Amino acid sequence: MSQPEFKLSTELPAWKKLEATFKSKGEKFQVKEAFDKDPKRFEKLSKTFQNFDNSKILFDFSKNLIDDEILEQLVQLAKEAKVEELRDAMFNGDKINTTEDRAVYHVALRNRSKREMKVDNVDTSPEVDEVLQHMKEFSNQIRSGEWTGYTNKAITDVVNIGIGGSDLGPVMVTEALKAYGKPGLNVHFVSNIDGTHIAETVKKCDPETTLFLIASKTFTTAETCTNANSAKKWFLAKALDTKHIAKHFAALSTNAEEVSKFGIDTKNMFGFESWVGGRYSVWSAIGLSVAIYIGFDNFENFLKGAEAVDKHFVETPLEENIPVLGGLLSVWYNNFFGAQTHLVSPFDQYLHRFPAYLQQLSMESNGKSVTRANAFTNYETGTILFGEPATNAQHSFFQLVHQGTKLIPSDFILAAQSHNPIENNLHQKMLASNFFAQAEALMVGKNEDQVKKEGATGGLVPHKVFSGNRPTTSILAQKITPAALGSLIAYYEHLTFVEGAIWNINSFDQWGVELGKVLAKVIGKELENNNEKVDTHDPSTKGLINQFKDWAE
Ligand code: F6P
């Protein structure tokens, strides 16, 4: 794909126009007044997404600091930044990840309508289907007990060993869809190189009934390889014979050579292609732990839910396009209001790992400062995404969201129907009341007069004032089903895509993680002998290493 004609997004006429609009009305924009002026604001600015199974998700953008004119200019920015062209190039299998010379084709993994989707002139659909078929057979065998361990016992524990995208997606999705999990089948996730992670995990497992899935796109990631070797040792300490590995280890990877070097039979390898980025890989073989846990039909619905959002993203005009609107709002707040962060709080305990998942998606994708035209940006890019499930978050950091000095655009997510409607649905109603109340409070605030009327006097008054006018997007699903979750993830993927396209950065590489990895390798060697002090590095690093050596065992 050729480089865009513009180097910096600030050169675009729409960007300049938005700067002027921000000064003339954006910074003074009062969303409460906007509701007073326009009785149709909610209807206009909330969009209902209809899934393939007819279930719905409502995205309410109306509590954001925009009006028709601002929205029009933001849409114009998307046009000038050629968001549509880049989107079409992605769906066309073009190599839009230019620094790695790769297509960005996770969307082909959820191509359940099996249309032709080519990379390098080869249709990806047959290969995707073949791997899915293998995943289906394998997951059915594990779930039915047909697949047995080396002592002929059924598998009770599946341990996924991976890190980053080879961990965060499967962990988040298995947690989010626990209600669909097979009782008696436990899934565990080991990611951290800290020995505690694998040690504590295997304490809960029996080698005779444990299946390890070694999940690594490259199969060279230091943490995963080290953890996988420790798992193999733990397994062989009981199983003794390496021939038993075949029944207890499978690999999810693109690298067949390294997989067989590790000792895993490539028959037990589930492959995918280099056009699947790590943080976009839960839809690929990396999702095997999910398929085993929730069953293949549910996994397929998860894919279809994402595919439905893909379709919406490709076919819907920009002004109605839900992920486009999400991305444009993010740019509006980041680049014009100077917001640094994006809060995502699911009002859903099953979604407790969703913010962690989104952190990699957003920050590894858009934490860049060089444009696709190889120039350093002169504007802000990647937002700092953070979050925790509510209502817990309300009792920790929401103070800052309500009354702090920073603008924190926030997304709140709720399902109308709970998987656990206990106490006559009392819990769900309380949860929902907080979901509505938080967004309302952030918008309406509380002024001095109200505070005084409530009895506060003197110096206490300003402490009890809430400025309000703090933007939120409320996302209301009917239920968190596999399909709905697939759609929610795809929404955030495409929102991230839109941000990156407007910032004119490559959202699909991750060179920023390399330097630390290289230095850790060098230091790893230096830590081999505690008696040899180091004399290299900067004084701080040297001092720390030598102190570590003194105190280490
Ligand atoms: O270090 C970052 C990263 O490359 C992520 O992009 C990726 O998800 C993770 O490491 C794991 O990589 P792999 O699946 O190749 O082990």
Side-chain angles (χ1 to χ4, degrees):
M1 220 204 138
S2 60
Q3 279 179 353
E5 303 118 53
F6 62 101
K7 270 198 172 147
L8 299 168
S9 307
T10 38
E11 292 166 9
L12 298 171
W15 188 288
K16 297 198 166 89
K17 207 165 190 184
L18 277 160
E19 273 173 340
T21 305
F22 175 72
K23 287 214 174 82
S24 64
K25 70 165 161 184
E27 61 186 337
K28 300 183 269 275
F29 191 86
Q30 288 296 320
V31 70
K32 257 195 310 176
E33 281 171 21
F35 271 107
D36 292 341
K37 272 194 221 148
D38 184 355
K40 290 249 173 291
R41 184 176 168 86
F42 172 73
E43 285 75 11
K44 268 206 287 204
L45 288 174
S46 60
K47 311 282 166 203
T48 301
F49 168 74
Q50 178 154 349
N51 220 328
F52 74 93
D53 58 1
N54 287 330
S55 65
K56 297 187 175 67
I57 306 176
L58 172 67
F59 293 80
D60 177 19
F61 298 111
S62 66
K63 289 195 182 80
N64 283 287
L65 309 179
I66 49 166
D67 61 10
D68 293 346
E69 189 193 4
I70 297 168
L71 189 56
E72 216 171 274
Q73 291 180 11
L74 286 166
V75 168
Q76 180 59 25
L77 178 64
K79 287 189 181 150
E80 290 177 16
K82 301 204 182 312
V83 170
E84 291 155 296
E85 284 85 337
L86 193 67
R87 173 199 66 193
D88 295 346
M90 172 169 78
F91 279 88
N92 194 40
D94 294 357
K95 297 193 172 162
I96 62 168
N97 177 357
T98 45
T99 60
E100 294 181 320
D101 195 28
R102 284 180 187 158
V104 174
Y105 226 24
H106 48 282
V107 288
L109 297 167
R110 52 229 195 182
N111 170 23
R112 302 318 301 135
S113 48
K114 303 188 189 180
R115 62 199 189 284
E116 200 176 64
M117 290 186 82
K118 287 183 174 177
V119 169
D120 286 333
N121 250 340
V122 179
D123 186 14
T124 55
S125 187
E127 188 189 333
V128 166
D129 275 352
E130 201 182 299
V131 175
L132 283 173
Q133 191 55 33
H134 190 190
M135 288 169 73
K136 182 177 181 171
E137 282 158 20
F138 190 74
S139 56
N140 284 344
Q141 285 176 336
I142 301 288
R143 288 166 66 82
S144 66
E146 190 189 327
W147 181 286
T148 53
Y150 71 100
T151 54
N152 289 327
K153 290 183 184 161
I155 298 297
T156 57
D157 292 81
V158 176
V159 182
N160 185 86
I161 298 182
I163 198 164
S166 301
D167 167 71
L168 288 160
V171 180
M172 182 276 282
V173 176
T174 49
E175 284 296 304
L177 300 177
K178 211 173 225 166
Y180 299 82
K182 186 175 163 60
L185 184 64
N186 308 307
V187 276
H188 313 267
F189 295 88
V190 174
S191 51
N192 204 327
I193 190 60
D194 183 345
T196 299
H197 208 175
I198 181 110
E200 285 296 336
T201 304
V202 293
K203 271 186 201 165
K204 298 174 215 145
C205 302
D206 176 347
E208 292 180 42
T209 56
T210 299
L211 170 73
F212 289 98
L213 304 177
I214 314 302
S216 176
K217 177 177 167 176
T218 54
F219 227 80
T220 56
T221 302
E223 290 92 332
T224 302
C225 293
T226 308
N227 278 324
N229 276 312
S230 301
K232 190 158 73 173
K233 272 200 196 132
W234 171 83
F235 171 74
L236 288 174
K238 188 159 179 199
L240 302 174
D241 197 329
T242 51
K243 77 169 188 248
H244 298 317
I245 287 177
K247 290 252 167 190
H248 292 267
F249 283 79
L252 324 176
S253 185
T254 57
N255 191 343
E257 204 184 318
E258 287 300 321
V259 167
S260 32
K261 266 197 222 156
F262 179 84
I264 294 179
D265 189 339
T266 40
K267 273 198 268 136
N268 294 342
M269 171 170 160
F270 297 79
F272 54 104
E273 294 290 340
S274 62
W275 40 256
V276 181
R279 52 195 174 275
Y280 303 93
S281 63
V282 68
W283 321 102
S284 73
I286 293 292
L288 185 60
S289 55
V290 177
I292 293 174
Y293 187 53
I294 66 172
F296 191 80
D297 290 349
N298 283 322
F299 186 70
E300 191 150 40
N301 285 339
F302 170 65
L303 299 180
K304 284 185 186 164
E307 183 187 28
V309 171
D310 295 342
K311 202 166 173 298
H312 169 92
F313 183 48
V314 170
E315 293 174 0
T316 313
L318 295 182
E319 33 287 291
E320 297 295 323
N321 197 308
I322 298 172
V324 170
L325 293 173
L328 289 174
L329 284 169
S330 172
V331 170
W332 180 229
Y333 296 128
N334 263 274
N335 298 99
F336 299 92
F337 284 83
Q340 297 279 328
T341 55
H342 178 178
L343 165 64
V344 180
S345 256
F347 284 63
D348 191 309
Q349 189 56 28
Y350 281 136
L351 288 178
H352 69 115
R353 294 295 289 164
F354 197 54
Y357 172 81
L358 294 182
Q359 279 176 1
Q360 188 197 16
L361 171 63
S362 174
M363 299 203 268
E364 201 174 67
S365 296
N366 287 341
K368 317 278 164 71
S369 43
V370 174
T371 67
R372 287 186 287 135
N374 312 323
F376 283 100
T377 60
N378 59 359
Y379 46 87
E380 295 285 330
T381 62
T383 184
I384 302 162
L385 193 147
F386 74 109
E388 276 290 317
T391 57
N392 299 22
Q394 289 168 217
H395 296 272
S396 63
F397 57 79
F398 268 37
Q399 163 65 39
L400 190 148
V401 186
H402 282 280
Q403 284 188 317
T405 53
K406 295 180 171 58
L407 178 75
I408 305 187
S410 307
D411 294 356
F412 297 153
I413 306 170
L414 175 79
Q417 297 162 34
S418 169
H419 285 287
N420 299 294
I422 58 168
E423 306 286 340
N424 210 11
N425 225 9
L426 168 74
H427 289 257
Q428 186 64 9
K429 291 203 170 141
M430 285 175 71
L431 180 68
S433 63
N434 279 280
F435 169 82
F436 300 120
Q438 286 299 324
E440 187 172 36
L442 283 165
M443 180 178 80
V444 300
K446 194 192 261 188
N447 64 26
E448 217 179 289
D449 285 349
Q450 288 168 291
V451 170
K452 282 182 183 157
K453 258 191 214 137
E454 285 171 10
T457 53
L460 191 56
V461 174
H463 296 277
K464 293 198 157 193
V465 167
F466 290 69
S467 65
N469 209 39
R470 294 175 186 236
T472 58
T473 297
S474 299
I475 303 175
L476 180 62
Q478 286 179 299
K479 193 171 190 168
I480 302 299
T481 59
L485 182 67
S487 300
L488 280 176
I489 301 172
Y491 163 72
Y492 280 102
E493 281 180 354
H494 295 322
L495 180 159
T496 305
F497 177 96
V498 171
E499 292 173 330
I502 292 179
W503 291 325
N504 194 18
I505 53 177
N506 178 0
S507 301
F508 306 103
D509 59 12
Q510 54 285 313
W511 299 108
V513 298
E514 295 306 324
L515 180 60
K517 285 187 195 172
V518 173
L519 291 183
K521 246 192 203 153
V522 174
I523 296 175
K525 286 228 154 45
E526 291 169 344
L527 294 184
E528 277 168 14
N529 184 350
N530 282 338
N531 299 321
E532 270 174 30
K533 296 278 179 258
V534 295
D535 200 23
T536 45
H537 303 284
D538 62 90
S540 162
T541 310
K542 183 171 79 179
L544 285 163
I545 293 175
N546 287 333
Q547 185 63 80
F548 172 86
K549 283 178 177 252
D550 269 356
W551 286 344
E553 294 164 298

